[in-house]
Amino acid sequence: MMPYYLLNIHSPLPVAFAYIGWAAAKYVVAVGSLCALSTRLLGSMFPMPRVIFAMARDGLLFRSLSTVSSRQSPVMATLSSGLVAAIMALLFDLKALVNMMSIGTLFAYTLVAICILILRYQEDPAEDCNSICKAESISSLSFLNPPSLPTARTSKIVTTCTAIIVVLVLGLAVILTVALRSLARKCLWSLLCLSVLLVAIILGTLLIWRQPKNPTRAAFMVPCIPVLPIVSVFINVYLIVQLGPDTWIRYAVWMAVGFLIYFSYGVRHSVQKQRLLNAQKTQVIQTIKTPAEGEGVTSEEGKAGEEKMELK
C-alpha cells in the first residue's frame, strides 16, 4: 500500500488507507481500533473486582475488601479497583499504561512457563519412595542413570537448574539487546559472552531433560518438555527487556507495593496457611493418640491373661 518508512507508527493503517486515496476507510479503521481498545480495557476491568474479592476472601488482601452487598455483589472490591484504575488513568498516559499491561502480562506468562517446568518434575508425595531412595543412593553420582521416578533430590536439581537458566536467559536477552551492533561487527567479547550463555543454557536443559518426570497424567499436558517452557521464558524475557526503563521502574514500584502488602498482611492472615497448620495439628494429635490406644489394648490384654491364670 505504501513504503514502510512512510508509515505513522501511532496509526499505520489509517495513514496507509489515506495514502492510496481511500480516505473514508481510515475513519472506519480508526473507529474499529477505538472499539477494540475500549473492549480490551473493559474486559480487563470487569474481572478485577472478582479477583480482589477472591484474594481478600483467602486472606491475601485486607478482609474488608471481601464485603458484599445484599445482592451478593463485591462492593468494596469494585469501588477500590475502580478508584485505582481512575488514579492510574489520571497520572499516566496511554503509552505508559499499555507498557505496564504488557510487562505484567509477559511476567505472568514467564511464571506460568517456569511453574510448568518445575511441576512436571515434582515428586509425587503419594508414591512410596523407599525403593527409589535406595536406588538413588547407589546411582547418585551417575548422571546417565537417574532414578525411574522423581524424588526430592531430582526435584531440587530441576528447581536449581531452572533458576540458573532464568538468570542465564536474562543475561542472553540483555546481550542481544545492548550488544546487537557488536554482534553484527563480530566483536570477540560479544561472541564469547553469547557462546558461553548459550552453552550454559543447553547444558542446563540437558540436565533437566535427564531427570525423571512425574508419572501423573492430565487431560492436556504441555509437549516438548523442557525445551518449550525454556523457549517461552526466553521470548517473554526478551520482550520485557525491550521495554523502556520507565516501565521497569513503575513495575518495580508496583511489585514493591504488592510484596509489602503480602509480607506484612497476607502471610499472617492466609486461609491456606491456617488450613495447613490445622492439618498438621490434627496429624500430631492422631499420632499421639495411636500409641496411647495401643498401650490401652496391651494393658487390657494383660489383665485378661492374669484373670485366666487365677481361674486356672
Side-chain angles (χ1 to χ4, degrees):
M1 296 177 67
M2 64 181 299
Y4 71 92
Y5 51 83
L6 296 178
L7 288 172
N8 188 350
I9 60 175
H10 299 292
S11 57
L13 283 178
V15 172
F17 280 113
Y19 182 82
I20 62 175
W22 292 10
K26 70 176 184 179
Y27 297 107
V28 177
V29 174
V31 172
S33 301
L34 290 176
C35 293
L37 183 60
S38 303
T39 304
R40 182 69 181 89
L41 291 175
L42 291 176
S44 300
M45 289 179 63
F46 274 114
M48 185 56 62
R50 271 67 185 176
V51 174
I52 295 176
F53 168 75
M55 295 178 67
R57 184 180 56 185
D58 293 340
L60 299 177
L61 290 177
F62 304 110
R63 189 70 66 178
S64 59
L65 295 175
S66 62
T67 304
V68 295
S69 64
S70 59
R71 298 182 179 181
Q72 301 300 314
S73 177
V75 179
M76 295 302 299
T78 303
L79 293 176
S80 60
S81 61
L83 180 62
V84 172
I87 292 175
M88 293 190 68
L90 177 65
L91 296 178
F92 303 106
D93 57 358
L94 181 61
K95 183 179 179 181
L97 293 176
V98 170
N99 289 336
M100 282 285 291
M101 185 176 65
S102 299
I103 193 173
T105 304
L106 293 172
F107 189 76
Y109 290 163
T110 303
L111 291 180
V112 169
I114 293 173
C115 291
I116 289 174
L117 187 59
I118 293 176
L119 293 176
R120 184 64 64 89
Y121 294 90
Q122 196 74 18
E123 64 171 336
D124 191 358
E127 294 288 338
D128 186 9
C129 298
N130 292 328
S131 58
I132 300 174
C133 293
K134 292 179 181 179
E136 184 183 3
S137 62
I138 298 174
S139 59
S140 59
L141 300 178
S142 178
F143 171 75
L144 299 177
N145 189 21
S148 58
L149 292 176
T151 60
R153 177 178 172 273
T154 59
S155 300
K156 185 177 180 181
I157 290 175
V158 173
T159 304
T160 305
C161 291
T162 302
I164 295 174
I165 287 175
V166 170
V167 176
L168 295 175
V169 164
L170 178 60
L172 180 61
V174 172
I175 289 294
L176 292 177
T177 302
V178 176
L180 188 59
R181 295 182 179 180
S182 300
L183 291 173
R185 292 196 301 265
K186 297 181 180 180
C187 296
L188 180 60
W189 68 270
S190 60
L191 294 176
L192 182 61
C193 293
L194 183 64
S195 302
V196 170
L197 290 174
L198 287 175
V199 170
I201 292 173
I202 292 174
L203 291 177
T205 305
L206 292 176
L207 183 59
I208 293 176
W209 175 69
R210 285 298 301 162
Q211 306 307 314
K213 299 179 182 179
N214 194 312
T216 305
R217 295 297 172 184
F220 173 78
M221 301 182 69
V222 177
C224 302
I225 299 291
V227 177
L228 188 58
I230 294 176
V231 172
S232 176
V233 169
F234 169 72
I235 295 174
N236 295 328
V237 171
Y238 180 77
L239 293 176
I240 290 175
V241 172
Q242 302 303 311
L243 298 173
D246 296 338
T247 304
W248 278 84
I249 294 174
R250 284 189 288 265
Y251 187 71
V253 173
W254 184 263
M255 291 295 293
V257 173
F259 282 131
L260 179 63
I261 295 175
Y262 176 73
F263 287 108
S264 62
Y265 181 85
V267 173
R268 293 184 289 108
H269 297 83
S270 176
V271 176
Q272 183 65 24
K273 180 181 179 181
Q274 298 298 326
R275 291 174 182 172
L276 293 176
L277 291 177
N278 293 334
Q280 292 177 357
K281 290 179 181 178
T282 305
Q283 186 177 4
V284 170
I285 292 173
Q286 291 178 353
T287 306
I288 294 174
K289 284 183 177 181
T290 302
E293 292 176 355
E295 291 175 359
V297 171
T298 305
S299 60
E300 290 176 1
E301 291 178 353
K303 291 180 180 178
E306 292 177 356
E307 291 177 358
K308 290 181 180 179
M309 290 296 293
E310 291 178 356
L311 291 174
K312 289 181 179 180

